């Protein structure tokens, strides 16, 4: 049986540089930074006081008012992005709801509600803990809520792989459509990690930038003076659809998803394997599945966290895999603008990658000021670049050695 081709027919995003696809695109093109002082709580006594938060988000614009307090902020973001993507794809009553799935994940789920209710339990006792806590904090409640509101009765899924979670979820959705299990999957990730404990936890790991006096320039992937990532929040959703279904509906096709590769370092719980052999293999698997040659890759949307180890490791891996070709491929990091959205990072960055293909433009790595002698690729510094992006590789890595690569391609009928 011939595999179904998988295309992208809808996009939705809630990001620190803009809510909604068009605002996000404007932010990408203008080189806007979404990083500022943390406002979610008083972080003045923390070693890290900066983050990429969502400003001016009103859940009442997307969710029934009586349901808002029953959901965590991570679900608010997920539903808002899913609603935009579903409407963008023009999915209506003409689809079979049993053939539509929802694959939406998170790295740490409803941690805001969990932290709040731990304090309630401590201060007021167990009988005062919210009866909604379980469905606020468990990650699989995110796709379940979206499916519930739209009546989609295909499979729901929420693959968790640390900061590669949404990349893996998108990859699994691709495989399900290829197999013919489902016609349409609402796929992506959401994250809302700004709690005192979560920020403290990442800070004491020494994973975060401490450029507190200059937030907008703190996320600086591949720059010599990078000092850690900037935590971010938001959601990115893509509507994946079989080409057969998309053609039948007359849907607009943004791009085609043609490659997915995933491996595990089995090396260390947080540090990447310095040989990068499994990162290389993940990219290679994705390219092989996509049936594209290395010289056909016209853009790499990097994991690009702005940490000393990751940026060095990813650059090394790209050079090992592509050889001399690596120097001809533009590489940029969306995290320079939106920070690191943990489990939602890859899905928002996938939206950016698809927009690069759609708009013929590579969005920049901002805050790139001083070259690191060990990092010598073309990182598209500071300004966007017009380019005919035919094949784009999207990298995503996570603590625990999770490596995922996706390949998006300009659609050709």
């Amino acid at each position: 049986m011939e595999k179904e081709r998988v295309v992208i027919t809808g996009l939705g995003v809630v990001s620190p540089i803009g809510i909604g696809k068009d605002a996000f695109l404007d932010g990408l093109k203008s080189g806007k930074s979404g990083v500022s002082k943390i406002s979610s709580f008083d972080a003045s006594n923390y070693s890290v006081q900066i983050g990429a938060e969502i400003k001016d988000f009103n859940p009442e614009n997307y969710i029934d008012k009586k349901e808002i307090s029953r959901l965590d902020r991570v679900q608010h973001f997920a539903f808002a992005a899913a609603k935009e993507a579903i409407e963008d794809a023009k999915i209506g009553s003409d689809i079979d709801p049993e053939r539509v799935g929802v694959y939406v994940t998170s790295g740490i789920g409803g941690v805001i509600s969990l932290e709040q209710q731990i304090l309630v339990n401590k201060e007021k006792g167990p009988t005062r803990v919210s009866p909604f806590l379980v469905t606020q904090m468990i990650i699989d409640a995110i796709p379940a809520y979206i499916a519930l509101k739209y009546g989609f009765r295909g499979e729901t899924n929420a693959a968790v792989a640390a900061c590669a979670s949404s990349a893996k979820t998108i990859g699994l959705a691709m495989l399900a459509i290829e197999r013919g299990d489902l016609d349409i999957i609402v796929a992506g990730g959401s994250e809302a990690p700004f709690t005192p404990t979560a920020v403290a936890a990442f800070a004491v790991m020494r994973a975060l930038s401490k450029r507190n006096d200059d937030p907008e320039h703190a996320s600086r992937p591949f720059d010599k003076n990078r000092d850690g990532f900037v935590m971010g929040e938001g959601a990115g959703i893509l509507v994946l659809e079989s080409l057969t279904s998309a053609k039948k509906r007359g849907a607009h096709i943004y791009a085609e998803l043609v490659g997915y590769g995933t491996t595990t370092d089995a090396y260390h719980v947080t540090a990447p394997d310095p040989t990068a052999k499994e990162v290389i293999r993940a990219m290679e698997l994705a390219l092989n599945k996509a049936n594209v040659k290395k010289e056909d890759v016209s853009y790499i949307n990097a994991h690009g966290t702005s940490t000393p180890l990751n940026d060095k490791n990813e650059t090394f891996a790209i050079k090992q895999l592509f050889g001399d070709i690596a120097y001809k491929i533009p590489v940029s990091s969306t995290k320079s603008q939106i920070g690191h959205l943990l489990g939602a990072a890859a899905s928002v960055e996938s939206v950016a990658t698809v927009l690069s293909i759609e708009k013929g433009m590579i969005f920049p790595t901002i805050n790139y000021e001083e070259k690191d002698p060990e990092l010598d690729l073309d990182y598209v510094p500071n300004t966007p670049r017009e380019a005919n992006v035919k094949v784009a590789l999207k990298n995503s890595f996570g603590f625990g050695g999770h490596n995922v690569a996706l390949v998006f391609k300009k659609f050709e009928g």
Side-chain angles (χ1 to χ4, degrees):
M1 182 178 171
E2 190 172 344
K3 289 181 179 177
E4 284 281 0
R5 291 171 66 182
V6 181
V7 295
I8 292 106
T9 56
L11 300 173
V13 63
V14 176
S15 88
I17 58 171
I19 298 171
K21 180 187 65 177
D22 293 339
F24 179 56
L25 177 61
D26 288 344
L28 290 171
K29 290 193 293 189
S30 65
K32 181 180 180 180
S33 169
V35 183
S36 59
K37 289 279 188 180
I38 291 174
S39 60
S40 300
F41 62 91
D42 181 5
S44 57
N45 291 325
Y46 284 60
S47 61
V48 173
Q49 301 167 7
I50 57 176
E53 297 172 307
I54 306 295
K55 308 294 186 185
D56 302 322
F57 178 80
N58 183 358
E60 292 185 22
N61 292 339
Y62 311 94
I63 300 169
D64 190 285
K65 192 172 182 178
K66 66 182 180 184
E67 293 186 334
I68 290 172
S69 62
R70 301 174 182 176
L71 303 169
D72 188 271
R73 184 170 170 87
V74 72
Q75 292 159 309
H76 298 168
F77 291 156
F79 188 79
K83 184 173 187 293
E84 182 187 21
I86 291 165
E87 291 175 356
D88 189 38
K90 296 181 170 54
I91 296 174
S93 58
D94 55 336
I95 53 92
D96 178 356
E98 295 182 359
R99 300 288 299 168
V100 182
V102 183
Y103 287 26
V104 179
T105 190
S106 178
I108 53 180
V111 67
I112 294 175
S113 299
L114 176 61
E115 184 158 336
Q116 289 172 344
Q117 294 304 311
I118 287 173
L119 294 175
V120 169
N121 188 24
K122 182 179 179 181
E123 295 170 2
K124 300 180 179 179
T127 60
R128 301 294 297 277
V129 171
S130 170
F132 301 109
L133 176 58
V134 173
T135 52
Q136 289 170 326
M137 70 179 184
I138 59 176
I139 291 173
D140 55 296
I142 300 171
Y145 180 75
I146 296 167
L148 171 69
K149 300 307 291 183
Y150 282 96
F152 298 149
R153 295 196 289 277
E155 182 188 25
T156 52
N157 196 333
V160 176
C163 296
S165 293
S166 55
K168 178 163 283 192
T169 296
I170 291 168
L172 293 175
M174 171 191 176
L175 298 180
I177 293 175
E178 277 190 344
R179 289 192 302 266
D181 295 350
L182 295 164
D183 296 331
I184 298 171
I185 299 182
V186 178
S190 181
E191 204 74 87
F194 284 99
T195 75
T197 303
V199 172
F202 279 98
V204 297
M205 291 179 73
R206 295 186 291 183
L208 302 181
S209 170
K210 294 181 181 178
R211 199 180 285 259
N212 295 323
D213 58 346
D214 188 16
E216 292 188 355
H217 298 96
S219 185
R220 44 198 315 115
F222 307 112
D223 182 85
K224 182 180 179 181
N225 297 311
R226 65 193 185 278
D227 69 332
F229 74 78
V230 176
M231 186 182 288
E233 63 178 354
I237 300 291
L238 300 88
V239 173
L240 306 186
E241 185 165 1
S242 72
L243 180 58
T244 303
S245 172
K247 282 186 170 179
K248 184 179 177 182
R249 295 194 311 110
H252 171 70
I253 295 174
Y254 284 94
E256 185 170 3
L257 178 57
V258 290
Y260 167 55
T262 183
T263 64
T264 304
D265 279 359
Y267 173 78
H268 190 273
V269 292
T270 56
D273 180 350
T275 71
K277 60 183 180 181
E278 294 305 327
V279 169
I280 295 168
R281 196 164 69 89
M283 290 190 287
E284 200 161 33
L285 287 169
L287 293 174
N288 289 342
K289 179 169 178 52
N291 195 29
V292 296
K293 299 174 183 175
K294 295 170 188 174
E295 54 267 34
D296 293 334
V297 175
S298 40
Y299 168 55
I300 298 174
N301 186 288
H303 186 57
T305 56
S306 181
T307 63
L309 275 181
N310 175 82
D311 293 357
K312 179 180 176 181
N313 193 264
E314 186 171 13
T315 296
F316 174 73
I318 292 169
K319 290 161 66 174
Q320 289 296 304
L321 177 61
F322 288 93
D324 290 342
I325 299 171
Y327 296 94
K328 301 176 182 177
I329 304 173
V331 179
S332 74
S333 172
T334 309
K335 290 184 181 72
S336 63
Q337 295 184 257
I338 64 172
H340 189 351
L341 275 60
L342 309 179
S347 59
V348 178
E349 292 159 12
S350 290
V351 173
T353 304
V354 169
L355 289 172
S356 281
I357 294 172
E358 166 94 351
K359 302 299 180 183
M361 179 175 287
I362 297 174
F363 308 113
T365 303
I366 67 168
N367 301 324
Y368 185 88
E369 296 174 345
E370 187 170 353
K371 183 176 180 177
D372 183 328
E374 290 188 280
L375 311 186
D376 53 357
L377 298 179
D378 173 9
Y379 300 112
V380 194
N382 301 315
T383 56
R385 182 185 302 168
E386 291 186 3
N388 183 12
V389 182
K390 293 183 177 179
V391 177
L393 177 67
K394 168 75 207 113
N395 284 337
S396 185
F397 314 126
F399 284 165
H402 305 291
N403 308 306
V404 181
L406 302 168
V407 179
F408 295 93
K409 189 177 180 181
K410 181 173 284 191
F411 176 69
E412 296 175 354

